[in-house]
Each structure stands twice: as structure tokens, then as C-alpha cells.
């Protein structure tokens, strides 16, 4: 009992002290950072009941029909958080959700409504919230946030760093463009400049990667603008990371098609925790694995059961070719992940490189925040083996691609593409030879 109280106190202290950083990170990424854990967050700005000054908090958002609900859990303490009393005193609040700024009115749910939402939505999306009920002996207060007017634009008022892709997505469908014969790019969008590809090969269409969790409806709508009533006959993932796996399971179930991953990626697609521990990237070591250990085996299994691709996934051997893409070669490009695969069409030298080599500078957090353009290696903080990733860059450069479509950044086409890739590979080779660009320096090129 004493250890549980200590754990609650520590958790509450960490949550309280990290609010400012969490709000900053939410605004910088348009809330996408929470998608790594298949969550959704909202920034709430309200008036302090005692000071009369604006007070800002970051909380998890739960969709309930057209409205969003938030839980005043306060780490499971018996007393609600301060923002609960602020909303009770003045229910008018400004919310920042998915890159939009919303005028909202907070309405506390009745006990019956709160119990329904708690069981149907909160515990389904976030099973770990069950510990708050256990600690306090009751369901925490829940507020429904009802829009009072139309969205008033970007959450940060159009300042530098606004998630332009999220704003565009709120106004209309994702951009599409044909980059080669039978190859369409959907995107880029979001602060990570995410792009997925729709490829015609043989007798059907294949979707290569699926974006972030929550992007499924937008991706599906973009596919419909290209194919009309026709559906892709398969989905192929370059690797199993959240920003490429996305809603592939939901899309596969809707389209009644399989999701293909390389054989080496299959354990991660099946949410094999031991494999995650055996091949961690830095972000896994710092955040994901400690969080998975903290929530306990039972809750971890519940989360993995909801997120696994098991019902739709199939594995392929890159050496035998790309499933659903008979004109393409599957190129094994490990490093970013153990089983990362790129796809190359020899007849016109079109390369879909996933994250093995990208056309947006996302290799460091600074570049990601500043959104610098240019060729880049995969982010060091999400890469399993830096040396293998560099070798994969050199391997792709030998293909001399004339069209380069990566998982992040605008596709490169035209006569200068081959030379740009070659120059980038040469810089990578020189740095590797000199021993720079290591994990310690957290830089690539």
C-alpha cells in the first residue's frame, strides 16, 4: 500500500513538472508525438479561478461522437487537479487539437454518462487509466468539450513551427501527385512531411506504407480520388514503425487485403515484446521499453492485442521479390530497423526508399523542428544500427535512381536526382571513413 502511494506521488510530481515541455512538444508536432503510443492529446487554456490569468495544461483526448472528452485523473489522487476547479468556475476554454484552435465549453458528465464513457472509450483506448480508478476508489471526473464556434485556424496563430500539413488536412484531402508511370505520391503532410505511395503493378494496385495512426481516413480518401471505386489489392510496409504502419490494419480489413512486411519485421508487427527488447532503438531504450515495463505484463498484453497486425499481416522474403509488385525489386536495407525494405523498379529506376534515405532533414530533432529540406539519413534516435543504415544508403546510391520517393519529404524527380543521391552517398561514405557522424555526436552528415 505504501509503495503504491509513493508511486502515485512520484508519477504526479513528474506529470506536474513536465506540463510545460509537453505543451511545447504538442504544439511543435501538432499533437503527433502522442501517436507513437496510439494516443491523442489536447492543450487546454483556461482562466485560473484564483489568479484570473491564463492556465495551460496538456491532457489526453477521448473522442465521443462529434465531441472530445477529457479525464481529470490527477494521477489517481483523491483530489482532482487544479484545472478541474478552473473549469468548474469558468467552463469556457480554448483547445488546441490536431493543429486547430477551438473555442470550447466544458460540461462535466453525470455519474451515469461518466461510467459509460469510462468503460466504452477510456479503458478501451487507454487501459492504463484503470490504475487511477483503483488508486482513488472512484471514476475520475470527466468533461465533455463542446465546440462553441468553427475552428479559428492554427493552434499557434500561424507562428513559425506550425504544423502546416495538419492545417491542410483539416481544410481538405491530402495532396496527391503522379511521380512516375503508375506511381502516385500521397503527401507530404504533417511536421514529419509524411508520404505514402500508391503503385500499379501487374493487374492491381498496392499501397506502400500507411502514414501515422489516425491518418487512415485521409489516406483512404486520397486513394479514392485516384482509383475511384477500385481498391488496392495489398499493402506493403517498408518497416513497422508507427509513422509507416499507421492504420494499415483497419485499411486492410476495409479493403479485404493483406499487409505485407519483410520476414525480419514480422515479430514487431506481431508485437513480440522480447524482440523489441532485443533490437531497441534509442527512443525505445529511453521511453517505450521503460513505459512498457512500468504498466505491467497484463496491461502490456492488452495494448499489444489491440495494436497487433496479426489478423492481416503476412511475411515475405525480400530475396524472392516484392509481393503485389511483380515489376519491382525488394531491396533489403537494414539499419533503421532490422528488416527495413526499399522497392526499386529497374526499367525507369524509380526507388521507394522508406526511411533508408529520405528527402527531408529529419535526421536530428533540431532538423525535424526546423523542417529543413534536403537528403537525409534516417533519424538517429529511431535507428537500430547506424553503421548498417549507412551501408544501406551506399547500396541505394549504386542503383542510380532517377526518381526517389521516400517516407518523408517531397519526392525527387528529374535529371538531377541521380547526382544528388550520389553526392549524398559520397558524403556519407567520407564521414563513415573519418569516423564522424557517430551515435555520440548524434549526427549523420
Amino acid at each position: 500500500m505504501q509503495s503504491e502511494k509513493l508511486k502515485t506521488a512520484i508519477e504526479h510530481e513528474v506529470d506536474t513538472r513536465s506540463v510545460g515541455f509537453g505543451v511545447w512538444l504538442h504544439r511543435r508536432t501538432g499533437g503527433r508525438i502522442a501517436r507513437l503510443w496510439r494516443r491523442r492529446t489536447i492543450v487546454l487554456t483556461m482562466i485560473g479561478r484564483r489568479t484570473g490569468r491564463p492556465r495551460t495544461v496538456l491532457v489526453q483526448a477521448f473522442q465521443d461522437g462529434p465531441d472530445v472528452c477529457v479525464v481529470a485523473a490527477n494521477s489517481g489522487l483523491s483530489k482532482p487537479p487544479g484545472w478541474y476547479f478552473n473549469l468548474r468556475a469558468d467552463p469556457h476554454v480554448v483547445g488546441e487539437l490536431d493543429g486547430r484552435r477551438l473555442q470550447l465549453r466544458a460540461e462535466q458528465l453525470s455519474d451515469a454518462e461518466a461510467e459509460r464513457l469510462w468503460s466504452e472509450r477510456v479503458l478501451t483506448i487507454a487501459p492504463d487509466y484503470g490504475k487511477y480508478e483503483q488508486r482513488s476508489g472512484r471514476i475520475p471526473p470527466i468533461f465533455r468539450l463542446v465546440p462553441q464556434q468553427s475552428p479559428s485556424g492554427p493552434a499557434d496563430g500561424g507562428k513559425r513551427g506550425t504544423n502546416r500539413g495538419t492545417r491542410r488536412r483539416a481544410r481538405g484531402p491530402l495532396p496527391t501527385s503522379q511521380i512516375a508511370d503508375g506511381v502516385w505520391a500521397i503527401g507530404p503532410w504533417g511536421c514529419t512531411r509524411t508520404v505514402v505511395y500508391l503503385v500499379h503493378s501487374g493487374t492491381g494496385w498496392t499501397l506502400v506504407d500507411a502514414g501515422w495512426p489516425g491518418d487512415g481516413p485521409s489516406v483512404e480518401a486520397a486513394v479514392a480520388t485516384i482509383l475511384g471505386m477500385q481498391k488496392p489489392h495489398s499493402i506493403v510496409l517498408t518497416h513497422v514503425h508507427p509513422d509507416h504502419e499507421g492504420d494499415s490494419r483497419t485499411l486492410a480489413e476495409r479493403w479485404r487485403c493483406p499487409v505485407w512486411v519483410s520476414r525480419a519485421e514480422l515479430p514487431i508487427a506481431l508485437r513480440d515484446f522480447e524482440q523489441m527488447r532485443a533490437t531497441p532503438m534509442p527512443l525505445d531504450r529511453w521511453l517505450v521499453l521503460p513505459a512498457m515495463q512500468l504498466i505491467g505484463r497484463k496491461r502490456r498484453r492488452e495494448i499489444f492485442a489491440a495494436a497487433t497486425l496479426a489478423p492481416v499481416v503476412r511475411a515475405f522474403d525480400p530475396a524472392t521479390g516484392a509481393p503485389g509488385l511483380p515489376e519491382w525489386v525488394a531491396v533489403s536495407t537494414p539499419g533503421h530497423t532490422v528488416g527495413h525494405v526499399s522497392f526499386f523498379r529497374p526499367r525507369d529506376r524509380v526507388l521507394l526508399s522508406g526511411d533508408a534515405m529520405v528527402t527531408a532533414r529529419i535526421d536530428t530533432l533540431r532538423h525535424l523542428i526546423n523542417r529543413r529540406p534536403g537528403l537525409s539519413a534516417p533519424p538517429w534516435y529511431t535507428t537500430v544500427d547506424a553503421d548498417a543504415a549507412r551501408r544501406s544508403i551506399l547500396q541505394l546510391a549504386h542503383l542510380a535512381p532517377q526518381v526517389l520517393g521516400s517516407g518523408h519529404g517531397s519526392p525527387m524527380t528529374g535529371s538531377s536526382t541521380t547526382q544528388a543521391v550520389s553526392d549524398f552517398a559520397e558524403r556519407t561514405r567520407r564521414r563513415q571513413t573519418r569516423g564522424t557522424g557517430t551515435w555520440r555526436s548524434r549526427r549523420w552528415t
Side-chain angles (χ1 to χ4, degrees):
M1 183 67 178
Q2 192 65 30
S3 62
E4 185 63 26
K5 288 183 178 180
L6 179 61
K7 186 186 298 184
T8 301
I10 293 174
E11 183 177 330
H12 179 261
E13 186 68 17
V14 171
D15 288 345
T16 301
R17 292 182 178 274
S18 62
V19 166
F21 176 74
V23 170
W24 175 85
L25 195 58
H26 174 99
R27 287 171 171 168
R28 281 290 185 175
T29 66
R32 286 188 173 277
I33 191 68
R35 302 286 181 86
L36 290 171
W37 292 272
R38 296 183 177 273
R39 303 295 173 91
R40 195 177 181 206
T41 53
I42 184 172
V43 170
L44 300 178
T45 301
M46 64 205 73
I47 300 299
R49 68 192 186 283
R50 293 177 178 173
T51 65
R53 297 177 181 177
R55 291 290 182 258
T56 301
V57 296
L58 176 71
V59 292
Q60 186 165 341
F62 298 91
Q63 195 75 37
D64 186 42
D67 301 325
V68 169
C69 295
V70 294
V71 180
N74 205 28
S75 304
L77 295 175
S78 57
K79 183 180 179 180
W83 61 265
Y84 164 85
F85 298 102
N86 291 339
L87 291 185
R88 290 294 301 270
D90 184 353
H92 297 92
V93 60
V94 175
E96 299 169 31
L97 180 69
D98 299 336
R100 296 171 295 161
R101 190 179 182 89
L102 306 168
Q103 298 292 335
L104 305 167
R105 179 181 175 84
E107 300 176 353
Q108 187 172 352
L109 300 186
S110 66
D111 292 344
E113 289 180 304
E115 185 174 356
R116 176 194 65 81
L117 189 75
W118 183 258
S119 59
E120 293 182 3
R121 300 296 299 164
V122 176
L123 294 183
T124 300
I125 296 172
D128 52 304
Y129 267 53
K131 65 185 177 184
Y132 302 138
E133 182 181 9
Q134 295 174 0
R135 290 172 179 175
S136 63
R138 57 176 174 78
I139 294 176
I142 301 177
F143 288 93
R144 184 184 304 280
L145 304 177
V146 181
Q148 297 299 288
Q149 62 183 53
S150 300
S152 58
D156 65 356
K159 297 179 182 178
R160 184 172 180 263
T162 298
N163 189 334
R164 296 182 181 92
T166 304
R167 296 207 313 269
R168 176 178 59 244
R169 197 156 50 119
R171 292 198 304 265
L174 300 178
T176 61
S177 60
Q178 187 170 6
I179 62 172
D181 180 31
V183 182
W184 287 77
I186 300 174
W189 76 88
C191 72
T192 56
R193 311 298 291 157
T194 300
V195 191
V196 302
Y197 298 89
L198 190 62
V199 180
H200 185 268
S201 185
T203 60
W205 291 84
T206 294
L207 181 69
V208 179
D209 289 334
W212 288 85
D215 288 336
S218 298
V219 171
E220 186 175 15
V223 169
T225 65
I226 300 170
L227 301 185
M229 298 298 292
Q230 191 177 357
K231 308 295 183 185
H233 64 190
S234 65
I235 300 172
V236 178
L237 303 182
T238 56
H239 61 294
V240 185
H241 273 177
D243 57 328
H244 291 257
E245 175 189 331
D247 291 338
S248 57
R249 173 175 168 177
T250 301
L251 291 172
E253 290 171 343
R254 288 178 62 84
W255 293 337
R256 298 182 180 179
C257 70
V259 175
W260 292 94
V261 301
S262 72
R263 188 172 296 166
E265 291 287 285
L266 184 61
I268 304 300
L270 297 177
R271 304 301 189 258
D272 185 332
F273 186 58
E274 293 306 316
Q275 181 66 17
M276 293 180 183
R277 296 176 62 184
T279 57
M281 58 183 177
L283 196 61
D284 286 335
R285 290 195 293 268
W286 300 338
L287 294 176
V288 179
L289 292 177
M292 290 293 102
Q293 293 282 9
L294 184 63
I295 65 176
R297 183 178 301 177
K298 181 179 179 180
R299 291 186 183 131
R300 184 169 66 240
R301 286 176 177 174
E302 292 172 350
I303 293 172
F304 285 176
T308 181
L309 296 182
V312 295
V313 73
R314 298 181 188 176
F316 71 95
D317 183 353
T320 62
L325 300 171
E327 303 173 66
W328 295 70
V329 176
V331 184
S332 181
T333 47
H336 184 51
T337 65
V338 174
H340 190 289
V341 177
S342 302
F343 302 99
F344 181 68
R345 189 165 66 184
R347 66 175 171 87
D348 52 2
R349 295 181 10 217
V350 178
L351 174 63
L352 303 182
S353 60
D355 279 2
M357 178 167 52
V358 298
T359 58
R361 294 302 300 272
I362 61 172
D363 48 341
T364 68
L365 286 172
R366 177 169 58 86
H367 288 161
L368 176 63
I369 292 171
N370 293 333
R371 302 178 64 183
R372 293 182 55 186
L375 284 169
S376 169
W380 68 268
Y381 44 88
T382 58
T383 294
V384 171
D385 187 333
D387 289 333
R390 295 188 187 97
R391 290 193 294 270
S392 291
I393 290 173
L394 301 181
Q395 180 183 6
L396 292 178
H398 282 304
L399 300 175
Q402 292 184 344
V403 176
L404 173 60
S406 67
H408 303 276
S410 299
M412 295 179 63
T413 60
S415 58
S416 62
T417 301
T418 302
Q419 188 60 49
V421 171
S422 177
D423 291 345
F424 174 68
E426 178 62 19
R427 293 196 300 271
T428 301
R429 184 190 65 78
R430 288 176 180 174
R431 283 188 172 271
Q432 188 171 14
T433 301
R434 294 198 302 266
T436 59
T438 62
W439 287 113
R440 287 187 179 273
S441 66
R442 299 184 179 181
R443 296 190 61 175
W444 288 88
T445 60

